[in-house]
Amino acid sequence: MLPGRVAVSLAASLAVLATLGVGGYAVSSIADVGQAASSIDARDGAPGGPADAVAWTDDASGPVPSLSLLRGRVDLARPATEVRVTLENARVVRIPEECAASTVTTRGSAIVGSDLVCAPLPGVDRIAFTVMALGETDQEVGGRVVATGDDGQRSTDLPGRTISGGPATLTPDVRLLSSPDFLNGDVGDLADGPGLWSSMPVETRTTNSTNDAYEAALDRVLDDWEGLDPVGVLVAGDLTNGRWGYDDLDSGNFGPVDTRAERRLALQRAARTYYPQWQQRFADHDLSAFPAMGDHEYGDNPWPRRKRLLAEDFKTEFARVFTRDAAGRPAFADRPRGPARLTAYAGRPTPDLQVVTLDVFDITRDRARVKVDRLQLRWLRSVLRRAQRDGVEWVVVQAHTPILGPVRARTSSGLTYPGAEDSRLWKVFKRFGVDLYLAGEVHDTTTLASDGIVQISHGGIFQFSLTTALVLDVYDDRMYVTLRDYDVRHAHDPAQPRLWETRRSGLPSDIEVGEEVSTIGTATLVGRDRGGARLSDPSGILTPSQG
């Protein structure tokens, strides 16, 4: 096993969260959840000491329909460092508030598959949990609670509850994934591009920009996404490192970079090496990617004049792969005029879901700033006005930088949108009913809400063991949001060369992704009826935070 981050696994898609009555909002398929407690005898308690107790705290009499919401409780007889609730024919739907939240670098509590792994907070002796029954008629909801403490493990069986009718599985009306800053590194085979690497003598070549470990690790993450079967994957910027038009090691891989003309040609060669391979990985997994421009798509900040002069080249190369078709025509009919005509676009995966991708960078030969240009803002108003007119239920916008703050940040330059709630952009969101704003840049996770709009900033840097995916499951007037985190570990042998990039010291040579995927945060957005989306029953790292 590679040394690296503390295991921070992640989780099964909460497509299971479908018709949950989370946050006190009941729906027709949820069984009535009362507060009458029932108790059971604990089994397998540690010899010489009291045993833990487990009980269902809703009305436990009689059978339950599949998709019913069931509530339970664990009473700890002695302190525990971990409590694992393992289930049959049911899934845990949120991380209890008595359990320490995970971060993107440290494992605390998570939903792993169908089960709960809880690290009790100090002083906690009772844990309340919620599950959804998922099974066929006459199957039984059951399982076991295992508590681990200084005195070892002790286990207690959950009482069985028979399922009577109802659908055994749950399918959202539409599912999207979001993973900003994926990959945030130049990962690609230098031989598969228009560069000069292949023609160089083997003894003088740099290392490649990928290896078997990277490709296997990426396949493991993308296999998971493919299994979730989303209609699309939103990537709010920083697909690559993008510091093109430079050559810190004087490698010559993309040609000389001494003059502006040489830098433009080197940029083209780099973009036409890394972008197509990034896109092809998604295509190989039957995934449709919808990326936004990040600062790395403009060469990374800061922007001295030599880099600002390349801004149009950066946009052209991005559009060549992501927003134009094979004939060079615009791939998206709904797009603005003006500077963002190649980099902003909108569409509706379903009649009830409007998705908008913005370019929040205004970079010319004379300036570089975070701002939506005037024509793009005018276009955004028209897109959102049409969505209102058409009665679209959900409006999701993605762009690279957070607007609300403060937000958690990790190994980030911390770009934000100036003006926050007072910015013209946010006021347009508020006026025309945006429900969810997705941002990247910060390589950490924060949920904030204001004016009936929820902002979730998240994402990662793959080569430094930070990768998350936000699953958006839409069911009529609710959206169930779950954050999946991947057990990515990186290492580097100082005696070995790092993978080559145009800038920085290169990528660590070894990377690995564990098989276990865990959910470290859940939340529900309740439909606004155009009056304001509400964040309901958030848990784990998706609990709103001020930094």
Side-chain angles (χ1 to χ4, degrees):
M1 181 64 69
L2 293 171
R5 69 192 279 216
V6 177
V8 70
S9 356
L10 267 237
S13 99
L14 267 202
V16 314
L17 267 181
T19 55
L20 294 187
V22 181
Y25 298 94
V27 292
S28 59
S29 64
I30 296 177
D32 180 48
V33 179
Q35 292 303 315
S38 65
S39 61
I40 61 168
D41 294 327
R43 303 179 194 170
D44 300 333
D52 302 320
V54 180
W56 296 112
T57 57
D58 59 295
D59 182 1
S61 61
V64 296
S66 186
L67 307 191
S68 293
L69 192 67
L70 311 177
R71 302 185 188 276
R73 188 184 71 219
V74 180
D75 290 301
L76 297 173
R78 300 182 302 287
T81 56
E82 179 183 281
V83 175
R84 183 178 288 261
V85 181
T86 302
L87 295 164
E88 297 175 0
N89 299 314
R91 294 191 183 188
V92 172
V93 298
R94 68 183 308 276
I95 298 168
E97 61 185 14
E98 300 91 349
C99 304
S102 294
T103 72
V104 294
T105 58
T106 305
R107 170 67 175 269
S109 304
I111 301 168
V112 180
S114 300
D115 308 330
L116 172 67
V117 179
C118 170
L121 291 166
V124 164
D125 59 8
R126 173 176 290 180
I127 299 165
F129 60 91
T130 305
V131 308
M132 175 180 278
L134 286 169
E136 306 283 351
T137 298
D138 294 331
Q139 288 184 326
E140 190 171 80
V141 174
R144 173 163 285 209
V145 175
V146 178
T148 302
D150 293 340
D151 56 352
Q153 288 188 340
R154 67 256 187 192
S155 61
T156 309
D157 288 338
L158 279 165
R161 304 189 67 174
T162 302
I163 295 174
S164 62
T169 59
L170 208 50
T171 303
D173 297 336
V174 62
R175 170 177 288 167
L176 287 172
L177 295 188
S178 168
S179 188
D181 304 271
F182 185 82
L183 298 167
N184 207 326
D186 290 344
V187 181
D189 184 353
L190 293 174
D192 188 13
L196 310 177
W197 185 81
S198 295
S199 63
M200 294 177 178
V202 173
E203 61 272 14
T204 62
R205 285 180 189 167
T206 66
T207 54
N208 209 334
S209 289
T210 191
N211 60 22
D212 289 346
Y214 272 81
E215 296 305 325
L218 287 169
D219 275 343
R220 179 153 286 176
V221 173
L222 294 171
D223 282 347
D224 179 64
W225 295 1
E226 182 180 5
L228 296 173
D229 194 25
V231 297
V233 181
L234 306 179
V235 183
D238 287 3
L239 287 62
T240 60
N241 186 25
R243 295 169 178 174
W244 304 328
Y246 291 86
D247 188 359
D248 284 1
L249 298 180
D250 196 25
S251 70
N253 284 342
F254 295 133
V257 292
D258 296 322
T259 68
R260 181 186 175 193
E262 289 172 343
R263 289 192 288 273
R264 292 185 67 188
L265 185 55
L267 185 160
Q268 282 184 4
R269 288 172 174 151
R272 296 178 189 190
T273 297
Y274 294 117
Y275 278 154
Q277 293 184 59
W278 190 97
Q279 177 80 306
Q280 189 60 47
R281 291 186 187 100
F282 281 74
D284 289 345
H285 289 81
D286 294 322
L287 295 166
S288 298
F290 298 93
M293 294 290 282
D295 55 303
H296 285 263
E297 277 63 61
Y298 283 105
D300 192 22
N301 74 96
W303 288 280
R305 180 175 173 80
R306 66 171 276 176
K307 198 182 293 183
R308 296 199 304 270
L309 292 173
L310 298 174
E312 287 302 316
D313 297 285
F314 276 111
K315 287 199 285 191
T316 297
E317 293 304 318
F318 176 89
R320 184 175 178 273
V321 176
F322 299 112
T323 63
R324 290 191 184 279
D325 63 19
R329 296 181 296 258
F332 297 93
D334 200 349
R335 62 191 188 281
R337 301 174 63 186
R341 65 191 180 282
L342 300 177
T343 54
Y345 52 93
R348 294 185 190 173
T350 69
D352 278 332
L353 176 62
Q354 176 72 62
V355 181
V356 183
T357 296
L358 298 178
D359 181 351
V360 293
F361 295 96
D362 178 19
I363 302 175
T364 69
R365 62 189 304 129
D366 299 317
R367 66 170 182 264
R369 59 186 178 178
V370 177
K371 185 179 181 181
V372 169
D373 67 86
R374 177 177 55 85
L375 291 176
Q376 187 180 181
L377 194 64
R378 179 186 300 173
W379 165 77
L380 176 63
R381 290 191 190 99
S382 70
V383 171
L384 299 180
R385 189 179 288 115
R386 288 197 307 271
Q388 279 190 335
R389 180 196 66 201
D390 296 344
V392 172
E393 180 65 34
W394 295 102
V395 178
V396 177
V397 177
Q398 71 161 345
H400 188 59
T401 62
I403 301 175
L404 301 179
V407 296
R408 301 181 183 97
R410 191 176 301 276
T411 62
S412 168
S413 58
L415 293 172
T416 59
Y417 199 90
E421 291 145 298
D422 294 327
S423 66
R424 288 186 178 182
L425 180 58
W426 189 264
K427 288 177 180 178
V428 169
F429 286 2
K430 178 181 177 182
R431 178 181 176 186
F432 293 102
V434 171
D435 299 294
L436 178 62
Y437 176 63
L438 300 172
E441 168 63 17
V442 292
H443 316 144
D444 209 323
T445 303
T446 307
T447 301
L448 296 171
S450 179
D451 300 318
I453 305 161
V454 176
Q455 172 187 285
I456 301 178
S457 53
H458 72 107
I461 308 178
F462 186 75
Q463 67 269 27
F464 297 131
S465 303
L466 299 172
T467 296
T468 62
L470 195 71
V471 183
L472 311 177
D473 283 338
V474 179
Y475 297 91
D476 193 19
D477 66 341
R478 287 156 205 271
M479 183 183 297
Y480 300 99
V481 181
T482 57
L483 187 69
R484 296 169 74 79
D485 188 24
Y486 297 85
D487 183 13
V488 185
R489 302 164 184 242
H490 72 275
H492 184 72
D493 180 352
Q496 299 296 319
R498 299 170 74 89
L499 301 188
W500 183 80
E501 286 186 303
T502 59
R503 303 214 78 176
R504 300 194 295 208
S505 59
L507 306 177
S509 57
D510 294 321
I511 198 160
E512 181 179 314
V513 177
E515 293 185 8
E516 189 177 81
V517 183
S518 307
T519 292
I520 58 173
T522 70
T524 305
L525 273 68
V526 181
R528 60 164 59 232
D529 288 329
R530 312 275 50 93
R534 292 197 306 275
L535 186 68
S536 173
D537 211 26
S539 76
I541 200 171
L542 292 182
T543 301
S545 170
Q546 292 300 310

